[in-house]
DNA sequence: ATCGGGATTGCCT
DNA sequence: GGCAATCCCGATG
């Protein structure tokens, strides 16, 4: 698998170790300074070549990649992408760019692949997308597995909740498109920024130690969430998630009953090997 | 100037 | 599982 290679041709030398100087002090977490193991590995920032692929392809390729947010206070927040949705533009009636419609809001969808598209939803929330190859096409990030900076994530998420509400479990920190924006402090002003060059937010491959997390899960393809009113486009399987992963926002049991296509299947049956099979039923 | 819908979440039953 | 919250955006007149 090419994903195992130490170095990818699309990654230029100056992009592979972003903010190296910030790493040693990027994990001040209250007391007990604990360096997470993520600092011990060589991270590879994804560059423009990675993002320059068709929308559905990018939506699948993003699974297992790590979203990183470096805050002004030096804290780094990390989460592994476990669920995405493709919005194709053009014929895709559910896309903000349906029919090639270009507005002030969705301009980022038409920009260079790797451009962040952040939009407000229901007045109070945000969603984060990544533009892909294809006119007006973009991938919505729907869920992450929290990896680093969980205390701050919990703090950021709690700010919007009732005082005294129960503490959120780890898996509840980023299991929704707007939840992950809150937990990683993704702001509206991140709209139109470039993931391959921005100093405050980027994507990485996982540390290369054994099989990648994404390799241990089959990919489930399911209809997208919350777009019931868009005719045939509501049913197309343009949502993708890591089967059996406990951080996915909404499981689709019907979709999971379908045999995964060979290209999406690892050499393991995830439900029997990943120790999380309780999530399946 | 006004109106209607929305790629969601959290809380309540 | 239902439903209110809450307001931006884009379309329309």
């Amino acid at each position: 698998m090419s994903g195992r290679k130490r170095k990818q041709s699309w990654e230029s030398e100056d992009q592979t170790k972003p903010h190296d100087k910030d790493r040693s002090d990027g994990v001040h977490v209250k007391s007990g300074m604990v360096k997470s193991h993520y600092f011990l590995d060589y991270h590879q920032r994804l560059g423009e070549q990675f993002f320059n692929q068709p929308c559905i392809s990018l939506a699948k390729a993003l699974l297992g990649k790590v979203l990183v947010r470096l805050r002004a206070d030096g804290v780094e927040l990390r989460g592994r992408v476990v669920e995405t949705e493709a919005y194709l533009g053009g014929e895709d009636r559910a896309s903000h760019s349906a029919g090639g419609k270009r507005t002030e809001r969705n301009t980022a969808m038409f920009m260079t692949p790797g451009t962040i598209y952040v939009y407000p939803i229901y007045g109070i929330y945000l969603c984060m997308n990544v533009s892909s190859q294809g006119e007006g096409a973009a991938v919505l990030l729907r869920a992450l597995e929290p990896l680093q900076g969980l205390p701050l994530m919990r703090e950021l998420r709690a700010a919007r909740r009732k005082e005294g509400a129960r503490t959120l479990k780890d898996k509840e920190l980023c299991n929704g498109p707007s939840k992950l924006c809150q937990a990683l402090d993704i702001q509206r002003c991140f709209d139109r920024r470039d993931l391959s060059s921005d100093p405050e937010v980027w994507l990485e491959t996982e540390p290369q130690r054994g099989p990648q997390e994404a390799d241990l899960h089959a990919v489930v393809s399911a209809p997208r969430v919350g777009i019931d009113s868009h005719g045939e486009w509501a049913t197309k399987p343009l949502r993708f998630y890591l089967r059996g992963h406990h951080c996915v926002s909404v499981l689709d049991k019907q979709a999971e009953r379908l045999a995964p296509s060979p290209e999406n299947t690892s050499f393991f049956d995830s439900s029997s090997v990943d120790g999380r099979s309780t999530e399946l039923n």
Side-chain angles (χ1 to χ4, degrees):
Chain A
M1 263 197 205
S2 61
R4 302 278 167 74
K5 276 172 34 182
R6 199 71 185 175
K7 190 104 185 153
Q8 301 294 329
S9 58
W10 64 67
E11 286 155 335
S12 62
E13 198 64 43
D14 61 338
Q15 289 181 323
T16 54
K17 295 180 71 177
H19 312 293
D20 205 39
K21 63 178 168 55
D22 294 310
R23 288 190 185 179
S24 58
D25 55 10
V27 286
H28 294 301
V29 178
K30 309 231 158 128
S31 59
M33 162 96 174
V34 177
K35 276 196 177 184
S36 109
H37 67 278
Y38 294 101
F39 285 91
L40 305 177
D41 289 281
Y42 194 69
H43 296 86
Q44 298 186 89
R45 182 176 186 146
L46 295 169
E48 52 192 40
Q49 295 305 308
F50 171 79
F51 299 109
N52 188 20
Q53 54 182 309
C55 192
I56 291 174
S57 170
L58 180 63
K60 294 177 183 174
L62 283 169
L63 296 175
K65 299 300 187 289
V66 176
L67 179 63
V68 189
R69 167 80 168 99
L70 172 62
R71 302 213 321 162
D73 59 11
V75 177
E76 280 187 18
L77 303 170
R78 278 188 165 79
R80 180 187 290 120
V81 179
V82 300
E83 180 183 356
T84 60
E85 282 178 0
Y87 287 87
L88 308 181
E91 297 296 296
D92 181 0
R93 308 316 300 172
S95 173
H96 288 173
S97 53
K101 183 183 60 176
R102 189 171 178 163
T103 65
E104 179 65 24
R105 176 178 65 158
N106 71 12
T107 294
M109 299 182 87
F110 294 86
M111 293 172 65
T112 312
T115 301
I116 300 172
Y117 171 41
V118 177
Y119 69 90
I121 187 167
Y122 299 113
I124 45 186
Y125 300 114
L126 299 175
C127 291
M128 172 177 172
N129 305 250
V130 181
S131 75
S132 69
Q133 188 178 301
E135 191 72 0
V139 177
L140 171 70
L141 302 185
R142 281 198 58 90
L144 309 176
E145 175 190 353
L147 296 177
Q148 182 186 330
L150 275 67
L152 179 55
M153 290 184 188
R154 192 166 277 112
E155 206 172 292
L156 289 164
R157 290 271 285 113
R160 297 280 206 136
R161 296 162 54 83
K162 272 188 180 176
E163 195 170 353
R166 72 179 173 79
T167 303
L168 292 170
K169 296 172 186 169
D170 290 357
K171 71 173 184 180
E172 296 174 317
L173 293 172
C174 305
N175 64 338
S178 298
K179 293 175 182 178
L180 71 87
C181 287
Q182 285 179 20
L184 271 71
D185 197 19
I186 302 298
Q187 303 164 18
R188 181 74 203 282
C189 63
F190 284 30
D191 186 51
R192 305 184 193 179
R193 292 205 204 170
D194 179 9
L195 275 172
S196 57
S197 63
D198 197 273
E200 295 188 319
V201 60
W202 64 91
L203 275 155
E204 292 175 347
T205 56
E206 289 192 272
Q208 308 285 300
R209 178 181 294 176
Q212 297 279 288
E213 175 77 4
D215 295 334
L216 300 176
H217 296 259
V219 172
V220 176
S221 303
R224 294 170 291 184
V225 173
I227 55 162
D228 299 328
S229 59
H230 292 87
E232 62 171 311
W233 284 92
T235 59
K236 291 187 182 294
L238 294 175
R239 181 164 73 103
F240 306 99
Y241 66 84
L242 298 183
R243 182 178 201 144
H245 200 288
H246 59 300
C247 294
V248 170
S249 68
V250 184
L251 300 183
D252 188 320
K253 291 173 183 173
Q254 182 178 336
E256 292 184 12
R257 276 195 283 277
L258 304 172
S261 60
E263 63 167 348
N264 290 335
T265 310
S266 70
F267 39 89
F268 297 126
D269 169 30
S270 66
S271 65
S272 64
V273 74
D274 69 5
R276 298 192 187 108
S277 56
T278 52
E279 294 297 320
L280 290 173
N281 286 306

